[in-house]
Amino acid sequence: MTDLPFPHNHPFGSGPEVCGVVTDVDSLFRTIFEQAAVGITVQDLEGKIIFANAASAHLLGLSASDLVGCTYQSLVYPLDCDLDQDQRQALLRGERVNYVVEKRFFHPNQHLVWGRLSVSLIRDSETKPVYWLTVHENITAQKQAQAELRTSRLHFLHILEAMPLGFYSLDREGRLTYVNYRCEQVLERSRTEILGKQLWEVVPDLQQTQFARDHERVLHEGTVTVCEGFWAARQAWFEVHLFPTPQGMAAYFLDITSRKQTEQHLQQLNAELDYQVQVRNDKLRRAIEMEELLCVITDEVRSSLDQEEILQAAVNELSLGLNLSICQICVPNIDNVTYRVRLQQPSSLPFTPDQQALSLNPQILSQLQEGKPVFAQGDDSALPRFNTLYCPIHDNERLLAYLYLVRHPQQTFDSLEIRLVEQVASQCAIGMRQAQLYELARHQVQQLEELHHLKDNFLRLVSHELRAPLTNIRIALSMLRRLADGEQRERYLDILQQECEREIRLVNDLLELQSLEAGVKQLHPVPLDLCTWVPPLVEGFQLRAQARELHLHLRLHPEIPQITTDPHLLERVLVELLNNACKYTPPDHNIILSLLPTTLTGQRGVRIEVINTGIEIPADILPRLFEKFFRVPHTDPYQQGGSGLGLALLRQAVEYLQGSIHVSSQDNQTRFQVDLPLSISPSCRLITD
């Protein structure tokens, strides 16, 4: 270690009796110098570093040996070189003992390092300057934190300036220290005019108000306060939020004039409402006379779940209770434009043809559809001298019907009677809705019973279909064990093979239907020329048709385009259609398979039609034809049985091919029509070569 330049006139003396002590002190100083947590350097009077400890070397990114001979001027950022020129001169003149300065240094890692330098002079016994002593510490993190703090403050100030609320702050003496742009707008003065002034100098007309007292309380007590008041100078209401800060207090405010005007308006409305309530109470006293009538009608309406009884009870009671000339209930026709009279009182009035297609005035109809009653005083075109009232029976979704009430010219409908009719109409709507729900529930129960029956049938059929092949297989196996004849053994082996295939087909049908419904079946589309692909497929059904005395015809349109689809699934569709036709067509009738081009939603496609004559499916059965487990009763002349999955599987397959299937049955024939696109959309699950 290089000897440090400590003065020879050591404070402990210079005689031999203190040499050992001096040596220990020098060693201690050297240890402190080297192991100090802050950087320490010693420079000659020209500024060259002659000693540097490890901490200073670490700060500057150099070794201690590299620092020796360097000057701080060569290590400092150029703009910071002369920052302490005056202080150094003052030190040399003895005008000050030391000084502190902050400078930036170049670091070998290509970045700047901030350091805080404490500079002093080492003088000899005659007080002459000998060396410069510099203690420095790394303040880079502190500087970065200060920069981030400045950025954060600028961001916060930007938010304050941009927000639509006024904001200002006061010191503990009540002087303005900050106002944002919105506050300048409200005060109608710039911040340069008002910053540093007392708030009440800026707004003297508010000094004797509660607003000022709230400010004083926040400044002295440190409590958060919210106040509002009217500023006459601006003719506006303001809501002010006051809260204490370490420097004094801050506040933000918003213009609530619009809200106050709304509140005043609401107060006026409440006063009007109080008056109306008083008037209404007077009317309610008179309404007690009608309460009994309303109770009677309500009880009769609620006691029935039949629409006809509900409406008839309402018509009868209203006609008698209000002494009406005519009381009718009109319901919409199928066209939902005209109306017909469903019930009327007196019942002795005839139903004329024009009462079955009533066209309402558009204005009257519009108000009825909005759920509003319409009173016409002597201006009804049908009864020009009578007073009439229309009242909707509405369920918040649509107009179910309307009440039509007629009185003589000497009698009118007052508000209480109109209200009574509205309540009756509301009860009728509830009753009609309950009747509809009851009918719907009854129908759903019927459907559930049918589904339960279908489920039982399906389980019975599947059990039978699964058990029958297994029974035949067991019998065939038993016979095989007993017989030694080769020909008979072959016959029973054929039975085993047929029954196994039958079992496999049934299981495959169930699995196929499940995969189609789950949407997990993969497609393998290939181009198909239907003119060459279909005939061999149909050829396999000719013998079956002939055996049952059926006439199978294939009609191919000459302009059938090529189709790109899954051949396995398309074959399944055609086979199911032909199987179904062969199964249910009576002998000596026709099965016609036609293929022709078509257009599907503006795109070309192919239509497949299978028509079988001699059989007609009832119209009420058609909607259920594609349901799982459903079988048309009494239509299987050969008693072939089945699981009820065929047509359900057919529809799922067609939809999986992005096609559609329709069925119609009339004039003693049934037609299945399948429309398929020329190619499958890329959105399907495809597997291509």
Side-chain angles (χ1 to χ4, degrees):
M1 177 185 295
T2 305
D3 290 339
L4 297 177
F6 296 115
H8 294 291
N9 53 345
H10 202 280
F12 294 108
S14 56
E17 68 277 4
V18 295
C19 287
V21 177
V22 171
T23 302
D24 292 340
V25 172
D26 288 346
S27 176
L28 175 62
F29 280 136
R30 288 190 186 95
T31 302
I32 293 172
F33 179 81
E34 288 297 332
Q35 297 183 6
V38 295
I40 304 174
T41 61
V42 179
Q43 309 109 53
D44 59 20
L45 293 180
E46 295 179 357
K48 292 182 180 180
I49 299 174
I50 56 177
F51 298 104
N53 69 349
S56 63
H58 177 73
L59 168 68
L60 299 174
L62 299 171
S63 65
S65 60
D66 290 338
L67 287 176
V68 175
C70 295
T71 64
Y72 270 99
Q73 298 292 70
S74 64
L75 300 173
V76 173
Y77 187 64
L79 296 179
D80 296 348
C81 286
D82 298 330
L83 290 179
D84 59 341
Q85 190 65 34
D86 293 339
Q87 291 95 320
R88 291 177 73 88
Q89 293 300 322
L91 274 179
L92 289 171
R93 291 192 299 267
E95 296 174 359
R96 57 190 308 171
V97 178
N98 56 37
Y99 69 87
V100 178
V101 66
E102 294 179 354
K103 291 187 176 183
R104 291 168 287 183
F105 295 88
F106 286 111
H107 195 278
N109 291 341
Q110 304 299 319
H111 67 274
L112 293 176
V113 177
W114 277 93
R116 181 182 289 113
L117 309 181
S118 298
V119 183
S120 59
L121 273 172
I122 300 175
R123 300 177 183 271
D124 60 11
S125 59
E126 298 177 358
T127 70
K128 292 181 180 180
V130 180
Y131 303 103
W132 292 101
L133 177 63
T134 303
V135 178
H136 51 85
E137 57 180 318
N138 191 340
I139 60 170
T140 305
Q142 178 182 343
K143 287 292 185 179
Q144 290 174 346
Q146 290 174 352
E148 291 175 0
L149 182 61
R150 286 194 299 272
T151 302
S152 176
R153 186 175 184 277
L154 288 175
H155 180 65
F156 177 68
L157 289 176
H158 177 72
I159 293 174
L160 289 179
E161 292 297 325
M163 70 181 185
L165 305 178
F167 183 89
Y168 61 89
S169 61
L170 306 176
D171 61 16
R172 295 194 175 276
E173 304 301 323
R175 290 186 293 265
L176 286 164
T177 59
Y178 175 78
V179 293
N180 71 347
Y181 176 69
R182 175 58 181 157
C183 188
E184 288 181 303
Q185 288 182 315
V186 174
L187 296 176
E188 298 179 354
R189 297 175 68 178
S190 68
R191 64 188 70 186
T192 56
E193 298 178 62
I194 61 178
L195 288 181
K197 292 184 178 181
Q198 289 283 341
L199 178 61
W200 313 123
E201 294 179 35
V202 180
V203 286
D205 52 328
L206 297 179
Q207 187 171 6
Q208 302 302 323
T209 64
Q210 182 62 38
F211 178 69
R213 290 189 288 273
D214 289 336
H215 276 67
E216 292 297 325
R217 185 168 63 255
V218 173
L219 281 172
H220 293 93
E221 299 179 9
T223 57
V224 177
T225 303
V226 179
C227 58
E228 62 180 41
F230 181 73
W231 190 6
R234 299 291 182 269
Q235 288 296 301
W237 282 87
F238 289 93
E239 179 181 279
V240 186
H241 295 251
L242 309 171
F243 48 93
T245 65
Q247 295 76 26
M249 64 167 291
Y252 67 89
F253 61 88
L254 64 156
D255 189 333
I256 59 170
T257 305
S258 174
R259 191 182 79 190
K260 282 294 184 179
Q261 291 173 347
T262 302
E263 290 176 356
Q264 291 173 356
H265 180 62
L266 287 175
Q267 289 174 355
Q268 294 175 356
L269 290 179
N270 286 335
E272 294 176 5
L273 182 60
D274 290 340
Y275 172 74
Q276 292 175 2
V277 168
Q278 183 179 357
V279 173
R280 188 171 181 80
N281 287 336
D282 295 338
K283 292 180 179 179
L284 286 175
R285 284 194 295 270
R286 182 170 163 268
I288 296 175
E289 301 171 0
M290 299 186 179
E291 186 68 27
E292 194 173 310
L293 174 60
L294 178 61
C295 290
V296 170
I297 296 176
T298 301
D299 290 342
E300 291 190 17
V301 167
R302 291 181 177 178
S303 63
S304 175
L305 290 174
D306 182 85
Q307 282 197 33
E308 197 76 16
E309 292 181 2
I310 291 170
L311 299 179
Q312 188 65 62
V315 168
N316 293 342
E317 296 298 336
L318 281 176
S319 179
L320 293 174
L322 299 181
N323 193 25
L324 302 175
S325 300
I326 299 175
C327 182
Q328 295 177 342
I329 287 185
C330 303
V331 296
N333 289 316
I334 298 177
D335 58 9
N336 282 325
V337 176
T338 60
Y339 289 78
R340 70 181 187 278
V341 177
R342 180 169 177 179
L343 294 168
Q344 69 178 6
Q345 186 68 24
S347 57
S348 57
L349 292 174
F351 282 93
T352 59
D354 59 344
Q355 290 179 308
Q356 305 310 307
L358 300 173
S359 296
L360 286 176
N361 180 297
Q363 293 181 348
I364 294 177
L365 180 59
S366 174
Q367 293 193 55
L368 291 178
Q369 290 173 340
E370 292 176 5
K372 300 176 182 177
V374 181
F375 173 63
Q377 190 170 14
D379 59 356
D380 190 293
S381 58
L383 298 166
R385 294 173 298 174
F386 287 76
N387 294 320
T388 57
L389 176 66
Y390 299 83
C391 190
I393 299 177
H394 203 276
D395 67 349
N396 294 327
E397 296 179 358
R398 60 190 178 90
L399 186 63
L400 302 175
Y402 67 87
L403 285 163
Y404 176 67
L405 288 68
V406 180
R407 268 184 170 170
H408 288 287
Q410 295 81 7
Q411 295 178 303
T412 185
F413 294 95
D414 61 28
S415 59
L416 290 178
E417 291 174 329
I418 294 175
R419 177 59 180 164
L420 172 66
V421 175
E422 285 183 310
Q423 290 175 328
V424 171
S426 176
Q427 291 297 327
C428 287
I430 295 172
M432 292 174 69
R433 183 61 176 162
Q434 288 177 338
Q436 292 171 356
L437 291 174
Y438 170 75
E439 186 63 26
L440 178 62
R442 191 177 62 82
H443 180 65
Q444 289 176 341
V445 169
Q446 255 182 352
Q447 286 184 324
L448 288 174
E449 290 176 351
E450 292 176 5
L451 286 174
H452 184 70
H453 180 67
L454 287 173
K455 181 199 71 173
D456 291 344
N457 284 344
F458 171 72
L459 292 175
R460 178 179 54 80
L461 288 169
V462 170
S463 299
H464 173 74
E465 293 295 332
L466 289 172
R467 186 170 54 214
L470 294 176
T471 302
N472 292 336
I473 290 172
R474 184 174 62 183
I475 294 173
L477 287 172
S478 176
M479 295 302 296
L480 281 173
R481 290 192 182 94
R482 298 178 185 179
L483 295 175
D485 188 293
E487 181 177 349
Q488 288 184 338
R489 288 176 64 86
E490 287 298 324
R491 185 165 67 84
Y492 284 113
L493 286 173
D494 290 340
I495 292 174
L496 284 173
Q497 180 69 28
Q498 292 171 3
E499 295 302 326
C500 284
E501 290 177 355
R502 177 181 170 191
E503 189 84 10
I504 290 170
R505 279 196 302 272
L506 179 59
V507 173
N508 285 341
D509 282 349
L510 291 169
L511 294 175
E512 182 89 357
L513 181 60
Q514 188 275 335
S515 66
L516 289 173
E517 287 182 337
V520 298
K521 183 175 179 60
Q522 302 290 347
L523 297 180
H524 305 264
V526 296
L528 294 178
D529 182 0
L530 297 180
C531 291
T532 59
W533 186 78
V534 173
L537 184 65
V538 177
E539 191 67 29
F541 285 89
Q542 288 290 358
L543 292 177
R544 181 177 174 184
Q546 292 173 5
R548 298 189 176 183
E549 300 179 3
L550 303 175
H551 308 290
L552 177 59
H553 306 279
L554 175 61
R555 297 176 182 175
L556 299 174
H557 193 281
E559 298 181 2
I560 296 178
Q562 189 182 61
I563 184 173
T564 301
T565 190
D566 186 297
H568 168 73
L569 212 52
L570 180 59
E571 179 180 351
R572 188 65 183 262
V573 170
L574 289 173
V575 167
E576 188 61 40
L577 287 171
L578 292 174
N579 267 332
N580 203 58
C582 291
K583 185 175 181 179
Y584 294 108
T585 303
D588 201 27
H589 281 274
N590 297 313
I591 300 174
I592 304 170
L593 172 62
S594 303
L595 281 80
L596 61 156
T598 186
T599 301
L600 306 171
T601 62
Q603 302 294 328
R604 299 177 62 204
V606 173
R607 174 168 293 174
I608 302 172
E609 287 187 349
V610 174
I611 302 173
N612 54 321
T613 62
I615 187 170
E616 184 173 334
I617 302 174
D620 59 330
I621 296 296
L622 287 177
R624 303 188 56 195
L625 204 58
F626 295 104
E627 293 180 6
K628 288 184 294 186
F629 320 136
F630 181 76
R631 298 180 61 200
V632 180
H634 313 301
T635 55
D636 188 356
Y638 300 101
Q639 298 298 313
Q640 301 161 93
S643 64
L645 295 175
L647 291 180
L649 186 60
L650 171 63
R651 181 179 66 177
Q652 291 290 342
V654 170
E655 291 178 353
Y656 219 74
L657 294 175
Q658 299 184 359
S660 60
I661 183 169
H662 305 280
V663 60
S664 59
S665 187
Q666 57 186 0
D667 301 329
N668 203 33
Q669 70 175 21
T670 300
R671 177 195 305 266
F672 283 85
Q673 175 182 302
V674 176
D675 291 332
L676 297 174
L678 292 186
S679 62
I680 298 177
S681 165
S683 62
C684 275
R685 296 180 176 86
L686 304 180
I687 293 182
T688 55
D689 294 335

